[in-house]
Amino acid sequence: MGPMTAHGAGGGDPLDRLPLRFLIGTTASGKSRLALDLAPRLGAEVVALDSMTVYRGLDVGTAKPTPAERALVRHHLLDVADPAERYDVQRYLADVRDALEDIERRGATPLFVGGTGFYLAALLRGIFEGPPIDPELRRGLEARMAREGGAVLHAELAAVDPDAAERIHPNDERRTVRALEVFQQTGSTLTSLQEQWSGERSERERRATIVGLAPPAEILERRIVERTAEMLAAGWPDEALRLSRGDGLGPSAIQALGYDTALALGRGEVEFDEARDLIALRTRQFARRQRTWFRKFDVRWIDPLSPDAASDALATFLAD
């Protein structure tokens, strides 16, 4: 079983040519705001490190940079997929390489900004492959999926690998089948195998510079509640309704945090305060999962509320 694949080092891959600078943090930690300050001072353009802002139309609910913010600093990897499409890490890596070539042609450098730890790991350590597909086992699982339904197999996954079940949306049948397949093949959970992979440092990671934003916990919690309320008031329910009337959300976009609740609010099925509190709760849970990913990397943590936050981050990036 090969743990990962990665582009070979050398001049051919922009990930091995250009400086690798990352500004990470949980949702609502202030990454986008600080990036607008740092990018011009670094001669950088922003590359989104986010699995949901890639989708067109998911704007309010993903806190996507606004047109005005994008006019200040060029952004990449936003609005590159329709919500009904499957967008996976392989496509992200291909799109990143195209964006880096574009950035390099203009004589700029990239600044990766976001909170998707899985994408960070894939950029720096390659893609986790897991065991090869077992066609007979997969056919059996797919037959069960068709016969018994996704909810049954997702519950089965939750019993053996609760962390994977939490990450994988119940409607994402392909990933549910793959996680069960890995467990039945190896006797190890997908989560445990990914943790082994995510501990392997590469040469690319050793030369990367990662700055993380870590506001005090009580301030982050307050920010999450306030931002959720602002997003709901700014049209998130209408956005969710509009998406539901089109081709809908595909197996990847459907995992976007809070859209199901925003849709329920738009349909009048829940009250505003109930929707706000539920989304804020799930956002805090999501932030904890983000921090778990970030602990796998060598990060220089700074308090975004400090008056020296921008200068500290800039000094860290320029010291690489």
Side-chain angles (χ1 to χ4, degrees), residues 124-249:
L124 297 181
R125 297 173 181 172
I127 300 173
F128 174 76
E129 290 184 318
I133 293 170
D134 181 328
E136 184 176 353
L137 177 56
R138 176 161 294 191
R139 280 194 297 271
L141 287 167
E142 288 174 343
R144 285 191 57 207
M145 180 72 75
R147 185 173 63 251
E148 301 173 34
V152 172
L153 269 71
H154 195 271
E156 189 173 304
L157 176 62
V160 298
D161 189 353
D163 290 334
E166 187 176 7
R167 293 192 307 272
I168 298 171
H169 194 278
N171 293 345
D172 195 337
E173 296 181 354
R174 184 182 69 92
R175 291 179 67 205
T176 299
V177 164
R178 177 57 175 164
L180 285 171
E181 177 187 28
V182 167
F183 177 73
Q184 292 182 23
Q185 274 182 281
T186 66
S188 298
T189 64
L190 182 64
T191 298
S192 66
L193 293 174
Q194 287 178 333
E195 285 174 349
Q196 294 172 33
W197 155 70
S198 65
E200 298 179 12
R201 298 190 74 210
S202 66
E203 177 59 33
R204 190 178 290 162
E205 182 178 355
R206 282 189 281 272
R207 69 178 186 84
T209 304
I210 308 174
V211 171
L213 301 187
E218 65 278 7
I219 292 177
L220 180 64
E221 290 198 7
R222 186 171 71 243
R223 274 188 172 185
I224 286 172
V225 174
E226 291 172 351
R227 192 178 76 156
T228 299
E230 290 167 1
M231 291 160 65
L232 289 171
W236 191 0
D238 291 336
E239 180 173 281
L241 281 168
R242 184 170 62 254
L243 290 165
S244 73
R245 293 184 187 120
D247 293 331
L249 299 180

Side-chain angles (χ1 to χ4, degrees), residues 52-70:
M52 291 298 154
T53 57
V54 297
Y55 292 107
R56 288 181 280 272
L58 275 70
D59 301 327
V60 180
T62 63
K64 190 180 293 178
T66 65
E69 290 169 334
R70 292 188 238 181

Side-chain angles (χ1 to χ4, degrees), residues 7 9-10 17 28 33-34 48 86 122 168 170 172 184 195-196 198 214 219 232 261 263 268 278 286 288 294:
H7 245 264
R17 285 198 306 271
R33 187 182 306 110
L34 186 57
R86 178 182 294 280
I168 298 171
D172 195 337
Q184 292 182 23
E195 285 174 349
Q196 294 172 33
S198 65
I219 292 177
L232 289 171
T261 306
L263 179 60
L278 178 56
F286 176 64
R288 286 198 292 272
F294 298 154

